[in-house]
mmCIF file of all heavy atoms in Angstrom:
data_model
loop_
_atom_site.group_PDB
_atom_site.id
_atom_site.type_symbol
_atom_site.label_atom_id
_atom_site.label_comp_id
_atom_site.label_asym_id
_atom_site.label_seq_id
_atom_site.Cartn_x
_atom_site.Cartn_y
_atom_site.Cartn_z
ATOM 1 N N ARG A 404 -7.165 26.682 13.519
ATOM 2 C CA ARG A 404 -8.349 26.423 14.323
ATOM 3 C C ARG A 404 -8.160 26.901 15.758
ATOM 4 O O ARG A 404 -9.048 27.530 16.355
ATOM 5 C CB ARG A 404 -8.676 24.931 14.289
ATOM 6 C CG ARG A 404 -9.764 24.490 15.253
ATOM 7 C CD ARG A 404 -11.080 25.230 15.030
ATOM 8 N NE ARG A 404 -11.591 24.992 13.693
ATOM 9 C CZ ARG A 404 -12.650 25.614 13.198
ATOM 10 N NH1 ARG A 404 -13.256 26.553 13.914
ATOM 11 N NH2 ARG A 404 -13.074 25.332 11.981
ATOM 12 N N VAL A 405 -7.006 26.605 16.349
ATOM 13 C CA VAL A 405 -6.752 27.000 17.736
ATOM 14 C C VAL A 405 -6.676 28.523 17.856
ATOM 15 O O VAL A 405 -7.241 29.111 18.790
ATOM 16 C CB VAL A 405 -5.460 26.335 18.250
ATOM 17 C CG1 VAL A 405 -5.065 26.894 19.615
ATOM 18 C CG2 VAL A 405 -5.638 24.828 18.334
ATOM 19 N N ILE A 406 -5.993 29.175 16.918
ATOM 20 C CA ILE A 406 -5.913 30.640 16.958
ATOM 21 C C ILE A 406 -7.303 31.251 16.844
ATOM 22 O O ILE A 406 -7.643 32.215 17.551
ATOM 23 C CB ILE A 406 -4.988 31.153 15.841
ATOM 24 C CG1 ILE A 406 -3.526 30.771 16.133
ATOM 25 C CG2 ILE A 406 -5.105 32.666 15.685
ATOM 26 C CD1 ILE A 406 -2.557 31.170 15.043
ATOM 27 N N SER A 407 -8.140 30.676 15.972
ATOM 28 C CA SER A 407 -9.508 31.168 15.846
ATOM 29 C C SER A 407 -10.290 30.986 17.139
ATOM 30 O O SER A 407 -11.011 31.900 17.586
ATOM 31 C CB SER A 407 -10.209 30.438 14.698
ATOM 32 O OG SER A 407 -11.567 30.805 14.607
ATOM 33 N N ASP A 408 -10.144 29.818 17.770
ATOM 34 C CA ASP A 408 -10.839 29.571 19.039
ATOM 35 C C ASP A 408 -10.404 30.551 20.117
ATOM 36 O O ASP A 408 -11.232 31.111 20.849
ATOM 37 C CB ASP A 408 -10.573 28.139 19.509
ATOM 38 C CG ASP A 408 -11.205 27.096 18.600
ATOM 39 O OD1 ASP A 408 -12.098 27.465 17.810
ATOM 40 O OD2 ASP A 408 -10.793 25.929 18.673
ATOM 41 N N VAL A 409 -9.089 30.759 20.220
ATOM 42 C CA VAL A 409 -8.559 31.656 21.254
ATOM 43 C C VAL A 409 -9.027 33.093 21.012
ATOM 44 O O VAL A 409 -9.405 33.814 21.948
ATOM 45 C CB VAL A 409 -7.016 31.569 21.298
ATOM 46 C CG1 VAL A 409 -6.441 32.637 22.228
ATOM 47 C CG2 VAL A 409 -6.580 30.185 21.756
ATOM 48 N N ASN A 410 -9.025 33.540 19.767
ATOM 49 C CA ASN A 410 -9.495 34.898 19.462
ATOM 50 C C ASN A 410 -10.954 35.089 19.865
ATOM 51 O O ASN A 410 -11.344 36.135 20.396
ATOM 52 C CB ASN A 410 -9.320 35.195 17.975
ATOM 53 C CG ASN A 410 -7.890 35.522 17.611
ATOM 54 O OD1 ASN A 410 -7.119 35.991 18.446
ATOM 55 N ND2 ASN A 410 -7.518 35.266 16.365
ATOM 56 N N CYS A 411 -11.779 34.065 19.594
ATOM 57 C CA CYS A 411 -13.200 34.159 19.970
ATOM 58 C C CYS A 411 -13.363 34.256 21.484
ATOM 59 O O CYS A 411 -14.179 35.049 21.992
ATOM 60 C CB CYS A 411 -13.964 32.950 19.439
ATOM 61 S SG CYS A 411 -14.136 32.917 17.638
ATOM 62 N N VAL A 412 -12.591 33.452 22.223
ATOM 63 C CA VAL A 412 -12.690 33.479 23.687
ATOM 64 C C VAL A 412 -12.167 34.804 24.227
ATOM 65 O O VAL A 412 -12.738 35.372 25.174
ATOM 66 C CB VAL A 412 -11.916 32.286 24.283
ATOM 67 C CG1 VAL A 412 -11.948 32.350 25.811
ATOM 68 C CG2 VAL A 412 -12.507 30.967 23.807
ATOM 69 N N ILE A 413 -11.085 35.345 23.645
ATOM 70 C CA ILE A 413 -10.546 36.639 24.082
ATOM 71 C C ILE A 413 -11.605 37.732 23.919
ATOM 72 O O ILE A 413 -11.835 38.546 24.832
ATOM 73 C CB ILE A 413 -9.276 36.989 23.292
ATOM 74 C CG1 ILE A 413 -8.106 36.090 23.732
ATOM 75 C CG2 ILE A 413 -8.897 38.462 23.488
ATOM 76 C CD1 ILE A 413 -6.848 36.297 22.920
ATOM 77 N N LEU A 414 -12.249 37.763 22.768
ATOM 78 C CA LEU A 414 -13.275 38.780 22.535
ATOM 79 C C LEU A 414 -14.415 38.645 23.542
ATOM 80 O O LEU A 414 -14.903 39.652 24.094
ATOM 81 C CB LEU A 414 -13.803 38.649 21.111
ATOM 82 C CG LEU A 414 -14.887 39.650 20.690
ATOM 83 C CD1 LEU A 414 -14.380 41.079 20.786
ATOM 84 C CD2 LEU A 414 -15.370 39.349 19.279
ATOM 85 N N ASP A 415 -14.843 37.415 23.814
ATOM 86 C CA ASP A 415 -15.936 37.188 24.750
ATOM 87 C C ASP A 415 -15.543 37.567 26.176
ATOM 88 O O ASP A 415 -16.296 38.263 26.883
ATOM 89 C CB ASP A 415 -16.365 35.722 24.674
ATOM 90 C CG ASP A 415 -17.569 35.424 25.553
ATOM 91 O OD1 ASP A 415 -18.619 36.045 25.324
ATOM 92 O OD2 ASP A 415 -17.439 34.581 26.456
ATOM 93 N N ARG A 416 -14.364 37.147 26.625
ATOM 94 C CA ARG A 416 -13.925 37.419 27.998
ATOM 95 C C ARG A 416 -13.645 38.898 28.211
ATOM 96 O O ARG A 416 -13.972 39.458 29.267
ATOM 97 C CB ARG A 416 -12.679 36.582 28.321
ATOM 98 C CG ARG A 416 -12.910 35.084 28.356
ATOM 99 C CD ARG A 416 -13.642 34.657 29.623
ATOM 100 N NE ARG A 416 -12.844 34.900 30.801
ATOM 101 C CZ ARG A 416 -11.922 34.057 31.280
ATOM 102 N NH1 ARG A 416 -11.693 32.897 30.638
ATOM 103 N NH2 ARG A 416 -11.259 34.344 32.378
ATOM 104 N N PHE A 417 -13.041 39.556 27.239
ATOM 105 C CA PHE A 417 -12.761 40.989 27.374
ATOM 106 C C PHE A 417 -14.065 41.792 27.426
ATOM 107 O O PHE A 417 -14.174 42.787 28.145
ATOM 108 C CB PHE A 417 -11.889 41.470 26.222
ATOM 109 C CG PHE A 417 -10.421 41.178 26.421
ATOM 110 C CD1 PHE A 417 -10.008 40.177 27.272
ATOM 111 C CD2 PHE A 417 -9.460 41.907 25.733
ATOM 112 C CE1 PHE A 417 -8.658 39.893 27.440
ATOM 113 C CE2 PHE A 417 -8.114 41.656 25.911
ATOM 114 C CZ PHE A 417 -7.708 40.627 26.764
ATOM 115 N N THR A 418 -15.068 41.362 26.669
ATOM 116 C CA THR A 418 -16.364 42.045 26.707
ATOM 117 C C THR A 418 -17.014 41.903 28.081
ATOM 118 O O THR A 418 -17.591 42.866 28.627
ATOM 119 C CB THR A 418 -17.290 41.475 25.621
ATOM 120 O OG1 THR A 418 -16.675 41.631 24.342
ATOM 121 C CG2 THR A 418 -18.640 42.203 25.609
ATOM 122 N N GLN A 419 -16.902 40.684 28.683
ATOM 123 C CA GLN A 419 -17.461 40.458 30.019
ATOM 124 C C GLN A 419 -16.749 41.296 31.082
ATOM 125 O O GLN A 419 -17.377 41.776 32.031
ATOM 126 C CB GLN A 419 -17.367 38.970 30.384
ATOM 127 C CG GLN A 419 -18.229 38.051 29.534
ATOM 128 C CD GLN A 419 -18.001 36.587 29.868
ATOM 129 O OE1 GLN A 419 -17.306 36.257 30.834
ATOM 130 N NE2 GLN A 419 -18.603 35.699 29.070
ATOM 131 N N GLN A 420 -15.444 41.503 30.917
ATOM 132 C CA GLN A 420 -14.651 42.242 31.900
ATOM 133 C C GLN A 420 -14.590 43.741 31.591
ATOM 134 O O GLN A 420 -13.834 44.468 32.250
ATOM 135 C CB GLN A 420 -13.223 41.666 31.944
ATOM 136 C CG GLN A 420 -13.137 40.204 32.358
ATOM 137 C CD GLN A 420 -13.516 39.983 33.821
ATOM 138 O OE1 GLN A 420 -13.323 40.870 34.660
ATOM 139 N NE2 GLN A 420 -14.060 38.807 34.112
ATOM 140 N N ASP A 421 -15.354 44.175 30.589
ATOM 141 C CA ASP A 421 -15.362 45.595 30.189
ATOM 142 C C ASP A 421 -13.974 46.109 29.828
ATOM 143 O O ASP A 421 -13.602 47.250 30.135
ATOM 144 C CB ASP A 421 -15.962 46.461 31.314
ATOM 145 C CG ASP A 421 -17.442 46.179 31.543
ATOM 146 O OD1 ASP A 421 -18.122 45.875 30.544
ATOM 147 O OD2 ASP A 421 -17.894 46.235 32.702
ATOM 148 N N ILE A 422 -13.196 45.237 29.173
ATOM 149 C CA ILE A 422 -11.873 45.652 28.680
ATOM 150 C C ILE A 422 -12.036 46.076 27.232
ATOM 151 O O ILE A 422 -12.439 45.290 26.379
ATOM 152 C CB ILE A 422 -10.848 44.508 28.815
ATOM 153 C CG1 ILE A 422 -10.676 44.115 30.282
ATOM 154 C CG2 ILE A 422 -9.515 44.909 28.204
ATOM 155 C CD1 ILE A 422 -9.780 42.912 30.495
ATOM 156 N N GLU A 423 -11.722 47.296 26.960
ATOM 157 C CA GLU A 423 -11.943 47.865 25.631
ATOM 158 C C GLU A 423 -10.865 47.404 24.654
ATOM 159 O O GLU A 423 -9.673 47.405 24.985
ATOM 160 C CB GLU A 423 -11.957 49.394 25.714
ATOM 161 C CG GLU A 423 -12.138 50.080 24.361
ATOM 162 C CD GLU A 423 -11.920 51.575 24.429
ATOM 163 O OE1 GLU A 423 -11.519 52.058 25.497
ATOM 164 O OE2 GLU A 423 -12.133 52.246 23.403
ATOM 165 N N ILE A 424 -11.322 46.984 23.480
ATOM 166 C CA ILE A 424 -10.394 46.705 22.382
ATOM 167 C C ILE A 424 -10.559 47.835 21.367
ATOM 168 O O ILE A 424 -11.512 47.850 20.584
ATOM 169 C CB ILE A 424 -10.705 45.340 21.730
ATOM 170 C CG1 ILE A 424 -10.602 44.209 22.758
ATOM 171 C CG2 ILE A 424 -9.729 45.072 20.571
ATOM 172 C CD1 ILE A 424 -10.953 42.840 22.206
ATOM 173 N N PRO A 425 -9.660 48.829 21.404
ATOM 174 C CA PRO A 425 -9.857 50.023 20.570
ATOM 175 C C PRO A 425 -9.556 49.741 19.105
ATOM 176 O O PRO A 425 -8.901 48.756 18.758
ATOM 177 C CB PRO A 425 -8.865 51.029 21.147
ATOM 178 C CG PRO A 425 -7.772 50.180 21.693
ATOM 179 C CD PRO A 425 -8.429 48.920 22.193
#
Side-chain angles (χ1 to χ4, degrees):
R404 171 58 61 187
V405 171
I406 291 177
S407 175
D408 293 343
V409 172
N410 282 334
C411 291
V412 177
I413 288 175
L414 180 60
D415 184 60
R416 294 285 295 275
F417 279 22
T418 302
Q419 294 175 8
Q420 299 292 331
D421 294 326
I422 299 175
E423 178 190 6
I424 301 177

